[in-house]
Structure formats: structure tokens, C-alpha cells
Amino acid sequence: MSRSLPLNVNLTAERPTFVSHLECGLTGERYEADALHGLSNAGRPLLVRYDLAGVAAAIDRAEMAARPRDLWRWREVLPVRRAENIISLGEADTPVIALDKVAGAAGASAGTLLVKDEGRLPTGSFKARGLVMAISMAKELGVTSIAMPTNGNAGAAAAAYATQAGIEAIIFCPDDTPEINVREIAAQGARVYRVNGLIDDCGKLVREGAAANGWFDLSTLKEPYRIEGKKTMGLELAEQFGWELPDVIFYPTGGGTGLIGMWKAFAELQAIGWIACKLPRMVAVQAEGCAPMVRAWEAGERHAARWEDAATIAAGIRVPQAVGDFLILDAVRESNGRAMAVSDAAIQQAVDDAARSDGLLLCPEGGATLAAWRQARAEGWVKDGETALLFNCATGLKYPLPDASQTLDRHAAIDFTRL
Ligand SMILES: *Cc1c(COP(=O)(O)O)cnc(C)c1O
């Protein structure tokens, strides 16, 4: 038995999962489970469906919550059928941290501005949640090589889990992807290529390479299981909030897997009967230099056109076009949420402020959610006393930090009164 397997996995048992079938997120067309699928015939994401009455009869929420604190405790509402296909680098629960000083500076009460810090996950980002599931399922379904486009973090998680699963990984990233990401992908055993284009240009190479070489295309939402892994953010949040939920969730939106996944999680929790609370307003946060969802939301459209010349310091949300656009926009609308764009300057300011006043180093994408909260609060859209939850999706340490140090010559006289 691998020592990295989570404690709650019984390797000898056929694990119960309650997957019934898959269906096209756009047309509802049914597909059988336990077969390898990419997009639906309509070219749209497939969603995994479960026998939720069966889940309700099989286990109660207290029993689930009493299991070891990692993502695999949700196994009845996850797709993997056989324990031997589970891979893991230790996907522990992530903490929820209050930014009380930043909140106070905006006139908000302590405990109302919270951050779910996903930077604590394996490979330093919440991409681990999606990729541990997608690659466990790829293994279960007999895949031997995967390819994906990435802005960095997804590639790193894919590389790590594919290596653990013994699956070959070929990764394509824009040539200006943060250096640490490009290097960690290679360090974790994948072949990585820098491409002179954006993530959707890389996606095109994956499609062509998949056709030519038989790679399985693991692009965001182009296979059904990453969203199931990301869904655990919603399950975990509900449990962390005592089976209630915050009033508003701010999510930095690229491909939107996490936002869609959480919205799906809330619907499943309601159907199982584990939550009865009001659902959060979902806010899709984008950067002003790449805001296709914001433009579509403002225009009242269900699909979003490609954003040309996308540019932002928040690499993880530099996604000009998303195949799950309608799922993002549906969730935002159904929840009475909104889509918001923030400037790179506001993102940088938010990162600096959270680190300097509350000691939490956000990644730029996390900073974008704080910038959006500030704006929404200033507009009165987030009201006094409302609890807002921000997503910090990766550790701030993955990004280059400014050097604010000074040098000292230990051989010279030092005037300590000036230090
Ligand atoms: C991938 C990523 C996002 C966007 O997540 P999606 O679910 O694809 O929208 C945001 N922030 C970081 C740090 C990321 O790596």
C-alpha cells in the first residue's frame, strides 16, 4: 500500500459510488457512466449524475463528517468506483481565514470577510482537487497518456498526479507562464512545451496532438471529472459552515470549473437533504484585461465570445474563452450573483494589503476576489453583516515577489539605531 494514500481508503473494498449516468450540460442528452468520454455530441461539458436518494439512504452527513479530513471522505458523491484507482498526494481540507483588518478598513465587521485558502493543497493550488479526480478516473478507464493546456497550476497538478498514476503527461503552456509553474511541471515528470500563444491556442495543439497521438484531452471541462473534484470545495464549505453557507462567494473565474462545481455541490446537498439554507450569491470575478464572462453577463447573454488580446497579472484567470460559459453564467444568474471585472492595479493593491495587514499572502487571482469584494461593498451590494467568502486558489509563493530587502556588510560598522 502506498503511504500517501488517505487513511480512509479501504484498498481492498469495492467502494460504493452512486454514479448513475452522465449528461450533456447543455442538452441533457444521457451518456453511460464507466466509459471514456470527452465533450458531449453538442460539443459541451458532460456532468456526472448520481442516485442521490441512494446516497441519502446509505450515509448521513454526521457519518461522512466523522471520516478523516480529506477530499476522499465524500466518496459516495464522487465518481471513482474502485479504491485501487484512487491516487492521492494528501488532499487535506483547507482552512477558512478571516481578514479582519482588511475588513475593518472597509467598515465591515470582524468575521464577515473570509478566505478559503486553497494554496495549502498538493502542488500549491486548488487544481489538485480537480486533477486528482480526473486522473484517478483516467486510470480507472484505462488511459495511458494525457495532454492538457494550462496557465500553470493545472499543469503542475496534472504532472504530479499523472506521475503517481503511471500515466504519461504532455503539457502546453503560454510562453509567458510564471517560471515556477513551467519548472514544477517538468520536475514532476511531465513533458512541458512553451507555446507562443494563449491557453486556448495551447488547447488547439492538444486537440490536434490528441487526434494524431491518441493522448486523452484533459482540458478544463472537456472531460467530466475535474468538475467533480472541484465540487468538493462546495461540500467542504457546507460542512465547515455547520451545514449553512456564506451569503456571497467571490470566485476568480477562468474556465469556471470551481464555480460550476460548487453550484452543482449545493444542488446535490439540497437533494440529499443535507442543507436547507439559502444558497450564496455567486460572483464570477475576472480581470479587466480578460473579462468575457462579465461582458456576456452585462449583455444578458448565455454564451461568451472570445476575449481578444487577453492580458492580466492574474495568469490563472487569463482564459479568453470557456467551453462551460453557459454553466458559469447560469449559476451566476440563478444565485442572484454577478460577474465583476477588476483592474490589475486593484489586484496588486489587494494582495499587498492582505499580506501587510492580515499576514495572508494571496495569489493575484485571490487578490482579484478581494478587489471585487471591496468594490461590491463600496457599492452597497455586499451589505453590513453579510458574510463573504473569497477563494485564494493558489499559494502566493508561486509568483515572483518584489525584493524589499537591503544588504548589510557584516565587516563594517553597523548603526543599529537605523535598522
Ligand atoms: C485555474 C485557476 C483559477 C481559475 O479557476 P477555474 O475554476 O478554471 O475558473 C483561478 N486562480 C488560480 C490560481 C488558478 O490556478
Side-chain angles (χ1 to χ4, degrees):
M1 184 197 288
S2 155
R3 292 180 59 198
S4 61
L5 278 168
L7 296 173
N8 61 353
V9 173
N10 177 355
L11 266 184
T12 59
E14 177 102 6
R15 289 167 55 257
T17 177
F18 288 81
V19 174
S20 56
H21 64 284
L22 309 183
E23 70 185 30
C24 173
L26 187 65
T27 65
E29 187 188 354
R30 282 179 74 108
Y31 293 77
E32 61 168 324
D34 307 307
L36 199 60
H37 295 291
L39 291 170
S40 72
N41 291 328
R44 291 295 175 172
L46 287 174
L47 301 175
V48 182
R49 297 300 179 200
Y50 299 82
D51 165 17
L52 296 173
V55 174
I59 185 166
D60 64 36
R61 65 188 192 187
E63 198 183 334
M64 184 89 85
R67 290 174 174 169
R69 317 300 308 161
D70 69 59
L71 164 159
W72 294 104
R73 77 174 171 285
W74 304 104
R75 55 189 176 256
E76 281 84 354
V77 285
L78 295 175
V80 182
R81 288 226 196 262
R82 297 186 60 84
E84 72 251 29
N85 296 318
I86 287 182
I87 50 172
S88 172
L89 292 164
E91 298 70 35
D93 284 12
T94 61
V96 172
I97 298 160
L99 292 183
D100 283 344
K101 292 195 181 125
V102 169
S109 357
T112 60
L113 178 61
L114 306 169
V115 177
K116 190 153 173 66
D117 189 11
E118 298 278 295
R120 321 287 176 102
L121 285 159
T123 71
S125 85
F126 69 175
K127 292 296 194 301
R129 293 185 190 264
L131 271 309
V132 74
M133 204 59 57
I135 294 195
S136 292
M137 286 306 293
K139 185 176 172 207
E140 183 153 278
L141 297 170
V143 169
T144 55
S145 67
I146 60 107
M148 75 182 320
T150 183
N151 279 326
N153 290 324
Y161 289 116
T163 292
Q164 199 187 49
I167 292 174
E168 177 188 45
I170 303 101
I171 310 288
F172 300 84
C173 57
D175 51 10
D176 60 351
T177 297
E179 193 59 34
I180 187 77
N181 288 131
V182 183
R183 294 185 185 203
E184 69 181 317
I185 293 167
Q188 288 158 181
R191 299 204 293 283
V192 57
Y193 299 94
R194 298 178 197 253
V195 177
N196 52 347
L198 293 177
I199 189 167
D200 52 349
D201 301 310
C202 295
K204 189 162 173 283
L205 297 187
V206 168
R207 250 186 340 269
E208 290 167 8
N213 290 357
W215 304 329
F216 184 64
D217 185 345
L218 218 69
S219 306
T220 304
L221 293 176
K222 291 189 183 164
E223 60 75 55
Y225 302 110
R226 265 168 85 170
I227 187 174
E228 294 303 296
K230 282 281 198 83
K231 183 178 88 177
T232 61
M233 292 190 294
L235 304 173
E236 194 175 303
L237 261 186
E239 193 199 315
Q240 278 174 323
F241 278 76
W243 307 104
E244 301 278 326
L245 288 165
D247 295 302
V248 195
I249 291 179
F250 288 84
Y251 186 83
T253 304
T257 339
L259 192 148
I260 299 164
M262 279 191 279
W263 196 241
K264 184 173 188 284
F266 300 152
E268 290 175 358
L269 287 170
Q270 281 181 325
I272 299 170
W274 290 358
I275 59 170
C277 59
K278 201 160 146 279
L279 298 186
R281 313 202 293 281
M282 305 296 286
V283 182
V285 179
Q286 299 202 299
E288 280 177 0
C290 182
M293 297 306 141
V294 181
R295 190 169 59 188
W297 182 75
E298 284 171 353
E301 278 156 15
R302 197 172 180 220
H303 292 283
R306 184 175 197 268
W307 187 277
E308 299 303 327
D309 303 319
T312 167
I313 55 169
I317 52 175
R318 194 180 62 173
V319 178
Q321 191 157 35
V323 66
D325 52 2
F326 64 106
L327 295 171
I328 299 170
L329 291 161
D330 286 357
V332 165
R333 292 194 176 105
E334 281 168 27
S335 71
N336 289 314
R338 60 192 289 197
M340 296 177 70
V342 293
S343 69
D344 276 5
I347 291 174
Q348 191 57 58
Q349 187 68 52
V351 170
D352 290 350
D353 292 347
R356 282 172 185 272
S357 34
D358 285 289
L360 187 64
L361 185 64
L362 303 174
C363 61
E365 298 80 2
T369 64
L370 175 55
W373 174 84
R374 284 175 156 171
Q375 192 181 314
R377 214 186 122 77
E379 292 168 3
W381 190 82
V382 172
K383 300 191 180 51
D384 285 339
E386 283 194 320
T387 307
L389 185 97
L390 316 180
F391 268 87
N392 185 48
C393 306
T395 168
L397 295 173
K398 283 210 186 192
Y399 298 79
L401 298 172
D403 180 10
S405 65
Q406 296 168 55
T407 51
L408 277 183
D409 177 2
R410 68 191 171 90
H411 299 298
I414 294 174
D415 178 358
F416 284 96
T417 63
R418 299 181 53 121
L419 299 189

